[in-house]
């Protein structure tokens, strides 16, 4: 296993599309690193550049201590799992697994041993003699993972490997991948646009937008203090409420009078926005202590929680996460209260976290 | 080209997928359907049938008036004449057939060997001005053979390719390569590039990846394309007539055409030669029919 170092990566396709503007990544040995971002932000391109399937326009890629810029994919010693699994349709599972080993020219007994081991790890025993089209989506995915495993590569690259599975299977496979990664101590770069997947899997998450890295951090850091307005609006379901605030008598105040504790070191004379998580707010009876008047617009009942959408003077569609026991009717006048700690504060003009 | 794609697509099996309920409005409709189809088949197939009949009739039955449909003596004399010269030894026609086999076979092979990798390259790589290049390649097919045959005749005379099998092979290959590239590019586009990506990560070179993974998946497409190329070369008449003259180079189409005319025409021989000429392509298409249908309908299958 080895770490991966990406420096000032820039990729422009021949047709002029700039897929990756500027990306720096430093992925540790044995780390499960997730790249998260909306469609078209350059995740796949970055991954393919690391794999050697695309040549970057500028920038350096190191795997372990080796500068791999000019190495073909075959010599980079990494495995990749594709969104569309790319199992060879004319080969049985067994041969699909053995193929990468035959490329290395391993002796037959060794190949058999490794295939058996990977099959055991991914519980593929009964599927070994079937062809890909005779396998379900989840089974194909397991075979694809096993094929990546057999070679014992220096790193694994995964491009949205679970997108084609249904929700339940996806959760299972997520657990499985995480477990496997831990067990093997594998370096893994995992691309997804599903933030739940990113949160639950990643040791660290890189959030990409328009070919740039917006933030790199642990899931907790990324959730608690999104580095930019883009991250703030991207992470969380529903994401943070972005509330315009002003500094007045030692408090952050919204137009409607909601008062938040200001973080230290706020710049003066800037237009500011506070990012407030839905769970840092509370819907109360109207006129409750420290609450401001608001009105329920709608409620999404999700079983284990209710998401209230409320208006409070001038600030529309504030989302509040409440336990399912608290019920307010639509259109009812209510109170809105901040219960969380210090919010993240953003500069409207730079769109970045200021404190 | 002799066979259009539509003909190839509308072969039986594809139709069979229509649910019976939608296909037939009831018994009466199916009877009508069968009657119409039979009528159509008879009209379409009558010349073929007549050709086959003529080829096994004795000469006096061939010229009999009124024409004899059933009560004639069956003879295989004409078929013997196709292959054996009157004085014994090989006939000119049999040499022509052999030439046709060589010319059509080699030119198809050449077009396939050149066209398939080219199609792969156009499908997989970012080539400068790809669309313009592809259009240029296709445009070489815009000229009908009769238009280009004279300049080619002059060029061939200069380089000494006139009246040679090699000359015919080259011109047929040149005509088939654009077609092969275009048709094969469609098939290559259908094969996900990820197979090759995965193979390259598994330790294979790009060419190995193509050979080991993409090529096997292209076999139906190659078969379909090769059949079309083969049919073109097999049936080609204009170039063959203009560019060859001697009996030991001439291919079957001009050789058969040469039988007609003069003072008398041995229609029995013409018919027998035509049957022999039609058979190989039919047999070949029949052998690869599975691939043909799979090939022509490949795009319809979700991957
Ligand atoms: N071969 C190519 N040629 C030209 N442009 C491309 C090519 N591949 C990708 N792009 C463009 O580059 C940008 C980034 O693409 P990329 O596939 O890296 O996005 P992504 O983050 O993986 O998106 P998704 O989540 O949809 O998979 C997109 O705008 C895309 O249209
Ligand atoms: Mg992608």
């Amino acid at each position: 296993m080895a770490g991966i170092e990406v420096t000032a990566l820039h990729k422009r396709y021949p047709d002029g599309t700039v897929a990756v503007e500027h990306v720096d990544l430093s992925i540790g040995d044995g780390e499960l690193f997730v790249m998260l971002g909306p469609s078209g932000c350059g995740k796949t391109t970055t991954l393919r550049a690391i794999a050697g399937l695309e040549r970057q326009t500028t920038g350096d890629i190191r795997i372990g201590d080796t500068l791999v810029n000019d190495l073909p994919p075959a010599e980079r010693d990494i495995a990749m799992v594709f969104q569309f699994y790319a199992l060879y349709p004319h080969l049985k599972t067994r041969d699909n697994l053995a193929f990468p080993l035959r490329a290395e020219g391993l002796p037959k007994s060794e190949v058999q041993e490794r295939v058996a081991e990977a099959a055991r790890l991914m519980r593929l025993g009964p599927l070994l003699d079937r062809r890909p089209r005779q396998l379900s989506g989840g089974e194909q995915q397991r075979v694809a993972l096993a094929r990546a495993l057999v070679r014992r590569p220096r790193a694994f690259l995964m491009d949205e490997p679970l997108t084609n599975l249904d929700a339940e299977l996806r959760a299972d496979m997520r657990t499985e991948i995480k477990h496997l990664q831990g067990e093997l101590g594998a370096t893994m770069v995992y691309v997804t646009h599903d933030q739940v997947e990113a949160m639950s899997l990643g040791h660290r998450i890189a959030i990409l937008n328009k070919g740039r890295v917006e933030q790199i951090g642990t899931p907790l850091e990324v959730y608690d203090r999104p580095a930019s307005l883009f991250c703030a609006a991207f992470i969380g379901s529903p994401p943070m409420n972005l509330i315009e605030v002003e500094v007045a008598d030692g408090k952050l105040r919204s137009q409607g009078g909601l008062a938040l504790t200001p973080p230290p070191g706020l710049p003066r004379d800037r237009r500011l926005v506070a990012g407030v998580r839905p769970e840092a707010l509370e819907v109360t009876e109207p006129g409750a202590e420290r609450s401001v008047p608001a009105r329920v617009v709608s409620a999404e009942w999700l079983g284990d929680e209710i998401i209230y959408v409320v208006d409070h003077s001038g600030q529309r569609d504030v989302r509040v996460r409440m336990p399912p026991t608290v019920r307010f009717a639509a259109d009812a006048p209510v109170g809105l209260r901040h219960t969380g700690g210090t919010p993240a504060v953003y500069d409207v003009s730079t769109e970045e976290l200021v404190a | 080209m002799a066979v259009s794609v539509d003909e190839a697509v509308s072969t039986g099996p594809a139709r069979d997928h229509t649910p019976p309920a939608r296909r037939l409005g009831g018994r009466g409709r199916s009877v009508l359907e069968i009657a119409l189809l039979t009528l159509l088949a008879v009209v379409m197939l009558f010349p073929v049938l007549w050709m086959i009949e003529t080829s096994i009739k004795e000469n006096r039955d061939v010229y009999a008036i009124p024409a004899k449909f059933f009560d004639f003596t069956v003879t295989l004399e004409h078929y013997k004449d196709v292959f054996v010269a009157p004085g014994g030894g090989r006939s000119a026609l049999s040499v022509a057939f052999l030439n046709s086999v060589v010319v059509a076979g080699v030119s198809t092979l050449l077009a396939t060997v050149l066209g398939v990798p080219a199609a792969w390259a156009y499908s997989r790589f970012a080539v400068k001005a790809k669309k313009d290049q592809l259009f240029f390649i296709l445009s070489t097919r815009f000229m009908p053979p009769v238009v280009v045959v004279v300049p080619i005749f002059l060029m061939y005379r200069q380089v000494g390719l006139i009246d040679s099998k090699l000359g015919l092979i080259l011109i047929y290959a040149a005509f088939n390569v654009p077609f092969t590239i275009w048709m094969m590019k469609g098939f290559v586009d259908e094969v996900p590039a990820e197979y090759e990506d995965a193979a390259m990560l598994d330790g294979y070179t790009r060419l190995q990846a193509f050979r080991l993974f993409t090529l096997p998946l292209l076999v139906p497409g190659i078969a379909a394309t090769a059949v079309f190329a083969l049919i073109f070369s097999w049936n080609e008449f204009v170039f063959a007539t203009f560019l060859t003259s001697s009996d030991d180079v001439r291919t079957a189409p001009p050789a058969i055409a040469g039988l007609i005319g003069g003072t008398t025409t041995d229609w029995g021989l013409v018919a027998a030669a035509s049957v022999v000429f039609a058979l190989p392509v039919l047999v070949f298409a029949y052998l690869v029919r599975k691939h043909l249908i799979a090939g022509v309908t490949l795009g319809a299958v979700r991957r």
Side-chain angles (χ1 to χ4, degrees):
Chain A
M1 290 295 155
I4 298 171
E5 204 75 38
V6 175
T7 324
L9 187 75
H10 179 83
K11 171 69 188 179
R12 196 188 134 110
Y13 282 106
D15 67 354
T17 318
V18 175
V20 178
E21 193 63 55
H22 181 105
V23 167
D24 291 305
L25 300 172
S26 174
I27 299 157
D29 191 351
E31 182 174 26
L32 206 176
F33 189 87
V34 175
M35 286 200 277
L36 175 66
S39 191
C41 70
K43 307 180 295 284
T44 299
T45 306
T46 307
L47 209 62
R48 288 174 64 85
I50 296 175
L53 296 170
E54 291 301 340
R55 179 70 160 92
Q56 67 269 29
T57 314
T58 55
D60 287 335
I61 297 170
R62 281 186 179 74
I63 299 174
D65 299 326
T66 333
L67 185 69
V68 296
N69 288 356
D70 298 314
L71 289 187
E75 286 168 38
R76 297 192 181 193
D77 196 13
I78 43 189
M80 187 156 167
V81 177
F82 296 85
Q83 175 178 345
F84 149 71
Y85 316 121
L87 298 175
Y88 309 128
H90 53 296
L91 296 182
K92 290 177 180 165
T93 299
R94 185 189 305 283
D95 297 313
N96 259 297
L97 298 186
F99 235 99
L101 300 175
R102 297 203 182 123
E104 280 178 31
L106 287 184
K108 226 173 177 174
S109 58
E110 169 96 26
V111 170
Q112 272 175 0
E113 214 169 278
R114 293 241 211 135
V115 168
E117 187 198 326
R120 186 181 49 76
L121 221 56
M122 294 312 298
R123 302 191 311 279
L124 296 174
L127 311 177
L128 278 176
D129 286 309
R130 295 207 207 155
R131 282 176 216 282
R133 82 175 58 147
Q134 300 166 311
L135 301 173
S136 73
E139 288 164 349
Q140 286 186 28
Q141 184 56 68
R142 295 220 306 274
V143 176
L145 280 172
R147 186 175 72 183
L149 288 176
V150 278
R151 233 181 52 225
R152 301 178 186 156
R154 293 206 287 174
F156 294 92
L157 309 179
M158 311 226 170
D159 191 359
E160 312 204 16
L162 306 184
T163 321
N164 292 347
L165 305 180
D166 58 43
E168 195 184 343
L169 205 53
R170 208 179 316 178
D172 288 350
M173 286 301 295
R174 212 158 59 203
T175 321
E176 198 144 353
I177 289 176
K178 187 162 182 139
H179 175 77
L180 204 65
Q181 189 273 340
E183 191 151 303
L184 301 173
T187 309
M188 196 178 274
V189 186
Y190 189 103
V191 161
T192 179
H193 60 240
D194 178 345
Q195 47 166 311
V196 180
E197 220 164 275
M199 289 288 186
S200 63
L201 274 178
H203 297 158
R204 282 192 305 155
I205 299 174
I207 299 175
L208 269 69
N209 181 32
K210 296 184 184 147
R212 288 179 188 280
V213 179
E214 293 264 343
Q215 180 172 17
I216 297 183
T218 64
L220 216 64
E221 285 166 1
V222 168
Y223 190 79
D224 279 348
R225 298 186 67 73
S228 63
L229 281 181
F230 172 82
C231 299
F234 191 72
I235 297 287
S237 160
M240 277 184 169
N241 296 296
L242 298 172
I243 301 174
E244 279 204 44
V245 290
E246 284 173 349
V247 187
D249 14 300
K251 286 271 182 198
L252 289 170
R253 284 186 195 282
S254 77
Q255 240 181 340
L258 201 63
L260 313 170
T261 324
L266 275 186
R268 306 216 160 262
D269 311 324
R270 301 269 188 87
R271 285 183 61 206
L272 299 175
V273 161
V276 184
R277 289 268 170 226
E279 54 270 28
L281 291 169
E282 197 176 35
V283 180
T284 64
E285 295 297 334
E289 195 190 344
R290 289 190 300 112
S291 76
V292 294
R295 192 177 56 85
V296 174
V297 177
S298 67
E300 286 171 45
W301 202 75
L302 300 176
D304 55 347
E305 62 187 29
I306 302 180
I307 307 292
Y308 283 105
V309 182
V310 303
D311 281 357
H312 101 102
S313 59
Q315 187 77 41
R316 300 178 58 91
D317 293 353
V318 175
R319 287 183 161 69
V320 184
R321 194 188 304 271
M322 296 294 289
T325 46
V326 188
R327 302 283 178 86
F328 294 96
D331 241 11
V334 290
L336 180 65
R337 183 159 63 191
H338 183 248
T339 54
T342 330
V345 178
Y346 301 89
D347 184 327
V348 173
S349 53
T350 65
E351 303 202 348
E352 282 180 11
L353 187 71
V354 286
Chain B
M1 202 189 349
V3 172
S4 78
V5 176
D6 285 347
E7 276 167 20
V9 174
S10 62
T11 36
R15 237 183 253 149
D16 286 349
H17 294 300
T18 337
R22 250 185 51 205
R23 201 168 78 193
L24 309 172
R27 226 187 132 69
R29 173 115 174 256
S30 83
V31 168
L32 187 72
E33 235 174 41
I34 290 169
L36 275 176
L37 285 173
T38 312
L39 183 72
L40 203 67
V42 167
V43 171
M44 303 282 278
L45 292 177
F46 182 76
V48 179
L49 199 72
W50 196 244
M51 176 179 82
I52 294 172
E53 262 198 20
T54 306
S55 74
I56 53 173
K57 279 178 184 170
E58 285 184 359
N59 272 339
R60 64 188 146 77
D61 291 334
V62 170
Y63 294 104
I65 294 171
K68 293 186 174 178
F69 278 88
F70 303 111
D71 53 341
F72 55 83
T73 334
V74 172
T75 172
L76 290 178
E77 269 308 301
H78 300 307
Y79 284 97
K80 197 186 129 216
D81 290 346
V82 169
F83 293 104
V84 184
R90 277 166 52 187
S91 68
L93 266 179
S94 71
V95 174
F97 278 123
L98 203 64
N99 290 339
S100 265
V101 169
V102 171
V103 168
V106 175
S107 67
T108 300
L109 195 71
L110 203 59
T112 307
V113 166
L114 293 174
V116 172
W120 173 68
Y122 276 115
S123 171
R124 290 288 189 263
F125 297 96
V127 182
K128 273 220 179 75
K130 185 191 283 190
K131 283 202 181 123
D132 301 321
Q133 288 194 25
L134 282 169
F135 182 77
F136 168 74
I137 289 171
L138 186 68
S139 71
T140 59
R141 285 296 297 255
F142 291 171
M143 292 273 188
V146 262
V147 175
V148 290
V149 71
V150 172
I152 285 176
F153 179 87
L154 296 176
M155 285 195 283
Y156 266 32
R157 206 173 49 187
Q158 286 295 318
V159 296
L161 281 171
I162 223 71
D163 200 20
S164 73
K165 276 180 255 182
L166 181 64
L168 277 189
I169 288 171
L170 289 180
I171 194 74
Y172 290 173
F175 250 70
N176 277 327
V177 162
F179 164 74
T180 307
I181 292 177
W182 268 80
M183 188 153 165
M184 283 312 300
K185 181 172 176 294
F187 289 116
V188 181
D189 286 345
E190 287 293 320
V191 177
E194 279 98 331
Y195 289 132
E196 284 164 42
D197 292 344
M200 283 195 285
L201 284 165
D202 282 351
Y204 296 92
T205 64
R206 195 174 257 288
L207 278 177
Q208 282 175 323
F210 167 66
R211 199 163 49 80
L212 288 170
F213 302 104
T214 307
L215 204 54
L217 298 175
L218 289 178
V219 166
I222 293 176
T225 312
V227 167
F228 286 127
L230 191 73
I231 290 171
F232 167 82
S233 310
W234 185 255
N235 291 343
E236 208 290 323
F237 181 73
V238 176
F239 286 124
T241 310
F242 278 78
L243 300 181
T244 63
S245 49
S246 60
D247 277 350
D248 50 343
V249 174
R250 217 152 29 140
T251 54
I256 294 174
L259 296 176
I260 306 169
T263 42
T264 57
T265 299
D266 184 350
W267 286 111
L269 181 63
V270 172
S274 303
V275 171
V276 173
F277 179 68
L279 273 180
V281 171
L282 281 180
V283 170
F284 189 71
Y286 179 77
L287 289 179
V288 299
R289 68 194 182 286
K290 206 180 75 193
H291 288 319
L292 261 185
I293 292 163
V296 182
T297 57
L298 186 68
V301 183
R302 216 179 69 90
R303 66 187 194 212

